[in-house]
Amino acid sequence: MDSASAPFDSALIPKGVKRCQFKWFLLWIAILHGPLTIGVIATLMCWGLALNVTYLNNNYPFGLWIAADLGIIALGAGAFFTGFLRYIVKIDELKHIVNFAVIVGVVCYAAAQGILGVDIGQPLRGWFIFWHANVHSMLTEVAFCITCYFMVLCVEYLPLILENRQIYKFGFPRGFAHHLHEAMPTIAAIGVFLSFFHQGSLGGVPGVLYGRPFAFREGFLVWPWTFFLFILSAIACGPCFTILITRITEGFARKRLVKRNVIDILAKISGRLLALYLVLKTIDTVYWIATAGKVGAPLSSFYANQPYGYWVLITELGIFGVIPCILLLIKATRQNENILILACFLNCAGIFMNRWIMTVQALAVPVMPFDKFVSYHPNWVEYASTLLFVWAGAIVISLSYRYLPIFSQEKELNPI
Amino acid sequence: MKEAHHGEGDEKTYKFGMVIDLDKCTGCGACMVACMAENNISFRKDETDKLRSNFWMRVYKISNGLPFPDTEVSYIPRPCMHCEGYDHHHATPCVSVCPATVTDYNHETGIVSQIYTRCFGCRYCMAACPYHVRVFNWWDPRWPKGMEKYLNPDVSVRMRGVVEKCSFCFHRYQRAKNKAYAEGRRELREDEYQTACTQACPAGAITFGDLNDPHHKVYKLKKDPNAFRLLEKLGTNPKVYYVSTTDWVRKASDAYTGKQGEGVTPG
Amino acid sequence: MKLDRRTFIELSVGFSVGAGTGILLSPVNWKLMDDMTIWSQELWPRYQLGGLKGQLPQRGEVTHVDSVCTLCPGGCGITVRKVGDRATKIEGRAGYPVNDGGICILGAAGLQLLYGPWRVPGPLRRAGQRGAGQWEQVSWEEAIAEAVKKLAALRGEGNAHTVACMLGSDRGTVPQLFARFMKAFGSPNLMRTATAEDTYELTLGLMQGVTSSVGYDLERANFILSFGSGLIEGWGSPVRVIKAHSIWRSANVKERATVVQIEPRLSNTAAKADRWYPINPGTEGALALGLAHVIIKESLYDDNFIRNHTFGFENGTDATGKGYMGFKRLVLTKYTPEAVSRMTGLSSSKIINLARAFARAKYPLAVWGRGKGTMPGSVYECMAVHALNALVGNINRPGGVWARPKVATQGWPEVSQDATAWTGYGMPRLDGAGTKRYPLTGHRPERLFQMASEKPGAVEALLVHEADPYYTTLDSQAVARAFENIPFVVSFSSYMDETAHHADLILPNHHYLERWEDCPTPVGLQKPLLGLLRPVVAPQFDTKHAGDTLMTIARALGGTIANAFPWEDYEGLLKETLADQWDTLEETGYVEQAGYTPPAWEQAFGTPSGKFEFYVSAFDQVGMTMRKDVGYLPHYEPVKPEGDAALYPLVLIPTDLMRLADGPVGNPPFCTKTLEETELKGNDLFVEVNPETAADHGLSEGQYATLETPKDTAKVLVHLFEGIMPGVIGIPKGLGHTGYDDYLAGKGVNANSLLGVVEDPISGLCATWGIRAKLTRV
Ligand SMILES: Nc1nc2c(c(=O)[nH]1)N[C@H]1C(S)=C(S)[C@@H](COP(=O)(O)OP(=O)(O)OC[C@H]3O[C@@H](n4cnc5c(=O)[nH]c(N)nc54)[C@H](O)[C@@H]3O)O[C@H]1N2
Ligand SMILES: Nc1nc2c(c(=O)[nH]1)N[C@H]1C(S)=C(S)[C@@H](COP(=O)(O)OP(=O)(O)OC[C@H]3O[C@@H](n4cnc5c(=O)[nH]c(N)nc54)[C@H](O)[C@@H]3O)O[C@H]1N2
Ligand code: SF4
Ligand code: SF4
Ligand code: SF4
Ligand code: SF4
Ligand code: SF4
Ligand SMILES: [Mo]
């Protein structure tokens, strides 16, 4: 690498890896700021003009934001679950992807909290959830665990930042990063514990709504079955999301960053967990049909109004469930690069769909016999403010990729 | 409302509730307006989007769905049901879910309250309530100049971004209780505490009182063989009862029948 | 220090880390959070209420003031809760003879009318074009001087009779003051809006020979047969009728009354009725006679009453020896169930069964007056329904129709007229009421506007009090043309209604919660009652009691006009007029004749025969000699809706909604808020169409359509409603305002503009019940 072609910011770039010219990087970041700005405008509209700028209404107090929130958190499960596999189950190969999983996790959890900050009607009072906490509310559990877990993620992310070439030169950050690395198994364990609860509580959010037979589930102790199903579905899909984002990053970098065997481990585990999830979800569905029927809500009533026909059930469990599950379980398909991506995509889409169903469709189904069904679709403000976090996430990942030593196999796979 | 401060434990407890006679209810809407006037409910120039309109009392129009001339319609006034909750364990749907303890089941009165200044607008309670009782303030309330003069100082004015709902005119309870205490009484008479909608209803269709007190009218009325509650099977355990001698209206209380046009429909 | 790449990078990294940590750990965050919460909880809401200064809503001493609501002719007693000097809530007055604690939707929203932006702030003089909404605020002296100048000039030119006056009512001291003014000034053209009550009064005059208003003993009736009356839409005194409805719906099944509603549309009244019989619109009279047929044929009538207290039931010969046909013969020959079934569309078996049930009931009562009773309707139809009541002998009986004497005159000194007044007052009325053609009618308000639009100069000035003819009169375009021909319009309105909006001068009256006034017996009440309005709050704007304004004008006009008003002020006049009742009124707010019963049959009838007359001989007395016998009898004479059936295949009927005020008082925002989403969407009004009819016209729910009648065209939304007869379109009355404020103005379509005036041959009053119409997709 001759110094003339070295990027302007080469001093910050990890040693031994190649990055594009600074101007191209700047251009890319600038491009991301386009939609980001629209998202910021949408957010400011929500805060400045109140939530009437959305398509939410009294029948749909929850809309895209909440569905996206639950979906994003589930996708972010890759972070704690990879940590769990790496530090607690001690699957050593995963050390090559765990850093990236953490970054994706940080992005997801920050996005979830950010979206909630837009969604609530009085953001200035958002902290009342901690101050006046109601221990009976699933949302309280969610808030506490997510906030704590986000701090854990930050602590996991911190050593990566400290490992930046320029920071690492200093003794204190270097020592600090080292100690953090030492403590990582403990931190990961805390993260796993917290994540278990908030993923579950998110499932509890709809599951406890006994006024909404579509969402309500009986359960175990204080937790409805959705509590456990949400945990399982999150860990079945989180790794796939990590794979997906890794592949996208590889696509932009135009090189391999992680060895296939590492990816394959995640894909295999994902497939098995998805299989388990589908079995339990099927049992849950059958049981739910029986219990909802008892309170006067036959299955047909849930699927009587378009766009929420039976196709929803089939798509969620079949196309976005069984198909990716099979593709991930069979070695041949799993190891085919394109099919793997398809499977990961279907799996992630399934999670989003499930979270939408459990929040938005749960509210769409009329409960009072004389209720009128009304349809909801988000407007641009909701889309823009949600996607804002995608663009922000892309910026964080781009910066991290450029300046931090994330992919330990990059040098080996791409010798200069 | 200023609350008289007195010792705890010696409280007389009530279970306030309503019985609404649907045979008498004419759908006139006086209860809705009385509620809006009593409780400082805001209004906008265009209120035709009912999905974003602020009603604590909403009168639903329902129809038997039959063609002309066999069509019949009925009205169902719907305040907050002040649900006691599942299995009488007092897990009121909206109360148990609120993360910030904004809403509460008061065991002295059986009233489900709402502290507007504490609500941060997550709307989880709205998702929990199957009766569409709770409404969100999508806009800042604004009164045309001069109109703020009629506002009732006993009820706080709510800001945008918070959820609100029928309080059984709780401030009237406080007012009545203060008066009773001042007169050295510990128990309210039936007529001392009546909600604004009950009082206004020209048809006398709404009866309000202590469901536990055999001397109160509601005690007897709720036992009418034609009395029912909305969505009883869900176990929300509402404290608002309805009476109707019309079969299809009684049947409309439970079991969502699916697609519009099958059986009961919105009128 | 040289700022090279490296130092730059080091500095920025160091600064970011430092600043981040600093902000995170400092207490500033927490303080800011706290402050912002206070802002959102305390200051922001206060700002919403119009400023950060005071604590709002302000507390204060709580008091209650009793008064009477006059937002409709219901005359309910109200109790207003006040905090300090603010009125904060209107409630029904417990124990008041009309409404005993109940209140209607409009009455409950009265404070919005009091404090709303639609109030006229003070005397206004038109500054721009008529109706452009440009006003100049003037002093009371100036405003009154202007009115006086114009009126004096007209009088000086010998045109006193071209001054017309339009009132909302003729009862009570204020309308009487206007009448007195017109008489002293010299114009016969005192008008008031006409309603179904006028037609019933006329019917009582014809059939019973009395000058009375109709009272219904609803509370004691146990079989109520309503010919399209919107008993719970706001008919009569609305709260009182709804209360009666609840008595009919008593929890004790044995005590329950039967309610039958005859109407082409499933109104709320029809919905609450035990039976709803939709019939072809406009055929109510035929049905009444068909029922009479069955009752007579099967001898189910009250034999004693018919035999001893009626005239013209059987065929007979009159004093001149001329033979005439009796009611019995007419009904038995012409109104067989089969014939009536063809006219009404109701099966003969239903007609027969209904007649039997009605006649066999202990307290049957047939009520008349479509919808809220705001349209006068057909005299023969009213007579037919009244005859039905007579057949079952429920005239002046418990649970029946009572002739309630109209309130006695005020006992004021006679007006002495000068020559101008005498000449002007003696001129023929512009509306032809009381003339040979319409000897029985007092006011034909629609005709006044027809005359004004046809003959420029016929009306040179118009005074309007407690009425909004510009909005409420049918055929709005004709009224607008009439206004163009009236050079000087004075409104006394408290609100910026349509008439005020098109006036030249507004002399705003105090609002009903700001003034003293008497409120005589509400519409339809069976017992005489006098209520008292008292100021609940001080006048909110620069307004003046209409009585005082009028007397000031009179005094300025001088001479005999001034002499006709010897009182100091209106309050003094009121006290003097109500002299012996004043103390009771001031203390209790009302004077009631609780023990009132109407005269027994022996004394009840002032007809030439001294009996209840099926065969109305009074027609001859007033010079309305009929060509055929049937003209003297209640019979069915269809009121043809305007329009050619080929061009306009459908029939449009106005509908009354209880949540929509359709009189001179505009709907307050609270009430408009309660309209269903199938009634108003944004600014667009829904019309009701049967799904079958809609399918024929290729229309579906929520679609835009053009509604066309011979009078006007409007863009509407279609609501499919199974409860309306195929071929009929229902349009709610009360929207399409242009006055008031944009909380009301611009919403929907004014049904009155689509309708025209069809005159009743007997009364000359508006007998319109609908109009032919066409509905096309847009
Ligand atoms: N105009 C005016 N404004 C004032 C004052 C004044 O004198 N005049 N006083 C000021 C003072 S000193 C105060 S303390 C504040 C009071 O101000 P707020 O706290 O706003 O007072 P309230 O309206 O009495 O109560 C708020 C709500 O709490 C509900 N509530 C009552 N009991 C319960 C319960 O047990 N649980 C729950 N969840 N809700 C309950 C009530 O229904 C009511 O809607 O007002 C201040 N503002
Ligand atoms: N019935 C009823 N009782 C209540 C309550 C309720 O809602 N209803 N609320 C309770 C609550 S939350 C509160 S905070 C208390 C409030 O109870 P209080 O403290 O009694 O409140 P106020 O009636 O607002 O004010 C008391 C007096 O202070 C006077 N004042 C104002 N400014 C000054 C000043 O600068 N100096 C002096 N010396 N006097 C001044 C006022 O004119 C008024 O007469 O009431 C409690 N009691
Ligand atoms: S006020 Fe009474 S009659 Fe009118 S809608 Fe309400 S409950 Fe029904
Ligand atoms: S009706 Fe709804 S808001 Fe009222 S207590 Fe029940 S769940 Fe809560
Ligand atoms: S919206 Fe307010 S009351 Fe409802 S759950 Fe959230 S914080 Fe509680
Ligand atoms: S009880 Fe009070 S708050 Fe509830 S609906 Fe009736 S008037 Fe409104
Ligand atoms: S019925 Fe008429 S008089 Fe009575 S409260 Fe309503 S508007 Fe006022
Ligand atoms: Mo206080």
Side-chain angles (χ1 to χ4, degrees), chain B residues 121-163:
Chain B
C122 70
R123 304 186 292 280
Y124 190 14
C125 51
M126 298 174 77
C129 170
Y131 304 100
H132 295 308
V133 156
R134 295 178 160 263
V135 291
F136 184 72
N137 275 319
W138 299 100
W139 284 272
D140 283 309
R142 287 266 185 185
W143 280 266
K145 195 170 151 20
M147 272 231 223
E148 74 286 344
K149 283 194 195 148
Y150 72 59
L151 294 178
N152 180 357
D154 292 347
V155 180
S156 45
V157 166
R158 287 79 60 188
M159 56 297 292
R160 75 145 86 137
V162 306
V163 165

Side-chain angles (χ1 to χ4, degrees), chain A residues 166-341:
Chain A
Q166 297 302 326
I167 304 174
Y168 209 63
K169 281 183 189 160
F170 300 100
F172 173 73
R174 192 165 59 231
F176 191 55
H178 180 72
H179 287 303
L180 281 176
H181 270 303
E182 301 265 279
M184 218 36 96
T186 319
I187 294 170
I190 296 171
V192 169
F193 176 80
L194 291 170
S195 301
F196 183 83
F197 274 99
H198 75 244
Q199 293 288 357
S201 304
L202 283 170
V205 166
V208 296
L209 301 179
Y210 69 91
R212 302 273 184 181
F214 182 84
F216 178 61
R217 295 295 188 281
E218 290 179 0
F220 173 71
L221 294 178
V222 298
W223 298 289
W225 296 128
T226 45
F227 183 93
F228 306 100
L229 287 174
F230 265 52
I231 299 172
L232 194 51
S233 57
I235 58 178
C237 131
C240 279
F241 188 64
T242 310
I243 296 172
L244 213 53
I245 298 297
T246 307
R247 277 300 294 138
I248 291 170
T249 312
E250 286 181 342
F252 275 98
R254 277 174 289 166
K255 60 185 160 197
R256 297 234 148 169
L257 298 168
V258 181
K259 285 189 183 161
R260 293 305 92 166
N261 69 325
V262 176
I263 301 251
D264 192 57
I265 293 169
L266 284 182
K268 191 164 74 189
I269 292 171
S270 227
R272 288 177 184 173
L273 288 170
L274 189 56
L276 178 60
Y277 169 73
L278 287 172
V279 170
L280 295 180
K281 174 77 184 173
T282 308
I283 296 172
D284 169 75
T285 305
V286 172
Y287 190 62
W288 161 69
I289 293 169
T291 46
K294 265 192 278 178
V295 299
L299 187 68
S300 60
S301 71
F302 297 146
Y303 297 101
N305 297 292
Q306 292 303 337
Y308 299 108
Y310 283 108
W311 70 269
V312 170
L313 197 62
I314 295 160
T315 310
E316 185 208 348
L317 296 181
I319 300 174
F320 292 158
V322 177
I323 293 176
C325 179
I326 293 169
L327 296 181
L328 289 170
L329 284 178
I330 299 169
K331 194 171 173 190
T333 48
R334 184 172 72 229
Q335 289 185 347
N336 174 310
E337 188 89 340
N338 292 329
I339 295 178
L340 175 65
I341 295 308

